[in-house]
Amino acid sequence: MSHEAGKRQLQVTALAGYPPEIGRCLWMLEDARRRTQEVVKGLGPLIIDWCATEHDNRIGTLLYHIAAIELDWLYAEVLEQDFPADLVALFPYDVRDPQGRLSVVTGVSLEEHLHRLATVRTALLTAFRELSLEDFRRPRQLPDYAVTPEWVLHHLMQHEAGHRGEIGEMRRLAEQDIF
């Protein structure tokens, strides 16, 4: 099949260095992150910390949450290991407050949030490089469920996409409110 010159090619390709099935899932995960980065590009502190009402999340809170959940799924479910100390140090706040809401994270620059996200993603990509296709599809037996690393990647893509939509709407509302 020929392609017209200049036409966008919308297709999934595998990240290099992984079995093709794993590499395609990781490409999709990376595409989700690229899209999140586009939504937050250029955000200043006022918008990152803006909140419509006291019970709404802030963009900074959601960026922190996305990274924390990715770290948790990677270590608790995929690797079945404790979190490394250097990664724990990136998360000084509990993910949830005593009422079960996301802990408010404010006063953190976009660069710091993006660094946290990138550091966790590097750990994930490194860990998945070590997985065989068989281990990628091997269910991990946890007390309440069994889960495969393949499903974890699917979940992380969905989780980030959902919060990216929230972030985009919050950005729109904040920019209307502030400017």
Side-chain angles (χ1 to χ4, degrees):
M1 179 186 334
S2 65
H3 298 283
E4 296 175 35
K7 186 183 251 185
R8 293 187 314 151
Q9 301 300 310
L10 303 175
Q11 60 188 25
V12 173
T13 58
L15 288 187
Y18 300 90
E21 295 88 341
I22 298 172
R24 282 192 292 277
C25 288
L26 291 171
W27 182 93
M28 288 184 266
L29 189 70
E30 287 286 86
D31 185 58
R33 179 59 48 82
R34 179 189 58 75
R35 291 169 183 233
T36 299
Q37 290 168 334
E38 287 175 8
V39 169
V40 300
K41 187 176 182 177
L43 286 181
L46 286 177
I47 293 183
I48 291 171
D49 290 346
W50 180 86
C51 186
T53 72
E54 67 179 271
H55 296 297
D56 287 330
N57 290 314
R58 292 159 173 78
I59 290 173
T61 296
L62 290 174
L63 292 172
Y64 186 91
H65 172 72
I66 290 167
I69 296 308
E70 186 168 312
L71 179 72
D72 186 58
W73 279 99
L74 173 61
Y75 281 91
E77 279 80 3
V78 174
L79 299 175
E80 302 173 286
Q81 300 173 4
D82 292 334
F83 303 152
D86 61 326
L87 293 178
V88 170
L90 295 173
F91 296 92
Y93 312 105
D94 288 336
V95 174
R96 296 198 177 269
D97 67 17
Q99 292 74 41
R101 290 188 294 264
L102 294 183
S103 293
V104 174
V105 178
T106 58
V108 177
S109 71
L110 178 60
E111 293 73 26
E112 289 177 73
H113 284 298
L114 293 176
H115 172 73
R116 182 183 299 105
L117 286 161
T119 301
V120 172
R121 180 55 55 84
T122 296
L124 183 142
L125 292 172
T126 300
F128 273 78
R129 192 172 300 280
E130 304 300 317
L131 292 182
S132 66
L133 185 56
E134 179 181 73
D135 201 28
F136 181 62
R137 294 194 171 132
R138 178 182 61 82
R140 276 51 171 173
Q141 303 299 324
L142 287 98
D144 296 330
Y145 52 88
V147 63
T148 65
E150 183 175 34
W151 187 91
V152 166
L153 293 182
H154 165 72
H155 174 72
L156 291 174
M157 286 178 242
Q158 295 294 316
H159 180 255
E160 185 156 340
H163 285 309
R164 180 177 57 250
E166 246 184 299
I167 290 168
E169 181 63 7
M170 289 165 49
R171 179 180 188 158
R172 186 185 69 74
L173 292 171
E175 288 173 342
Q176 285 178 345
D177 186 53
I178 294 170
F179 303 113

